């Protein structure tokens, strides 16, 4: 947590534009990669090593949806349930910069880029995020909007 949040609940009005949250790490195993894709994105370059070799990526790669899911998990774990979330609103943009491969260790960061409070005791929070692999190469950039409760302040 950034210094000014300690361990208390975090409302939209507590967040400051420019705050940066460093995320934890996640190792993408081949089993996880293939299992996710088999269930949700069963394209050959995600689920079949032999087919993936000849596809242009030179081997298995994770589904973009899997990569987004990893980011979501790391972000939620980072705020540790302290954000007084109402719901996600939208993913404004997701860019899959480089493929994620088996055994990649992903980490990254999330930055608060906008906080706007409304008269319904909630705030709209926009974040910009990136995930990088173990070599420090960006694999994902994403911009998302979430609604958080506010402390009841109106604008």
């Amino acid at each position: 947590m950034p210094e000014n949040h300690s361990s208390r609940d975090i409302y939209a009005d507590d967040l400051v534009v420019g705050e940066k949250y460093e995320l934890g790490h996640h190792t993408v195993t081949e089993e996880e990669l293939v299992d996710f894709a088999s269930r949700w994105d069963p394209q050959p370059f995600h689920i079949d090593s032999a087919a993936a070799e000849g596809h242009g990526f030179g081997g298995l790669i994770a589904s973009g949806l899997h990569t987004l899911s990893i980011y979501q998990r790391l972000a939620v774990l980072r705020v540790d349930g302290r954000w007084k979330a109402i719901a996600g609103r939208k993913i404004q943009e997701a860019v899959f910069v480089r493929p994620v491969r088996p055994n990649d260790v992903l980490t990254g960061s999330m930055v608060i880029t906008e906080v706007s409070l409304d008269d319904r005791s909630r705030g709209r929070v926009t974040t910009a995020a990136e995930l990088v692999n173990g070599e420090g190469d960006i694999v994902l950039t994403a911009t998302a909007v979430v609604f958080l409760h506010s402390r009841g302040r109106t604008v």
Side-chain angles (χ1 to χ4, degrees):
M1 250 337 102
E3 297 283 326
N4 58 333
H5 293 312
S6 64
S7 63
R8 64 183 166 80
D9 288 342
I10 299 170
Y11 293 82
D13 6 15
D14 298 326
L15 296 173
V16 176
V17 170
E19 269 184 298
K20 185 174 186 178
Y21 292 76
E22 296 296 336
L23 304 178
H25 296 82
H26 179 81
T27 301
V28 181
T29 66
E30 183 171 335
E31 179 182 8
E32 171 192 336
L33 186 154
V34 171
D35 181 57
F36 184 97
S38 294
R39 296 182 64 151
W40 306 110
D41 192 2
Q43 298 183 72
F45 49 90
H46 296 322
I47 62 173
D48 181 323
S49 293
E53 284 296 328
H55 190 272
F57 292 112
L60 287 173
I61 62 169
S63 167
L65 296 173
H66 186 188
T67 305
L68 274 172
S69 296
I70 292 166
Y71 162 70
Q72 176 68 12
R73 177 176 171 73
L74 292 175
V76 169
L77 290 173
R78 178 62 176 99
V79 300
D80 193 27
R82 292 182 218 152
W83 277 23
K84 300 302 286 180
I86 297 170
R89 173 67 173 109
K90 64 181 168 179
I91 296 172
Q92 286 180 311
E93 181 177 59
V95 179
F96 306 107
V97 180
R98 285 183 182 76
V100 171
R101 300 185 181 279
N103 303 313
D104 274 355
V105 178
L106 303 182
T107 190
S109 61
M110 167 177 74
V111 177
I112 307 300
T113 59
E114 181 182 350
V115 177
S116 59
L117 303 177
D118 67 20
D119 59 359
R120 297 186 334 184
S121 296
R122 69 179 188 179
R124 181 179 185 260
V125 178
T126 304
T127 61
E130 69 178 27
L131 282 184
V132 298
N133 62 22
E135 289 74 47
D137 297 324
I138 297 172
V139 298
L140 170 74
T141 61
T143 304
V145 178
V146 62
F147 286 114
L148 270 64
H149 292 283
S150 72
R151 296 185 179 279
R153 196 166 60 179
T154 58
V155 182

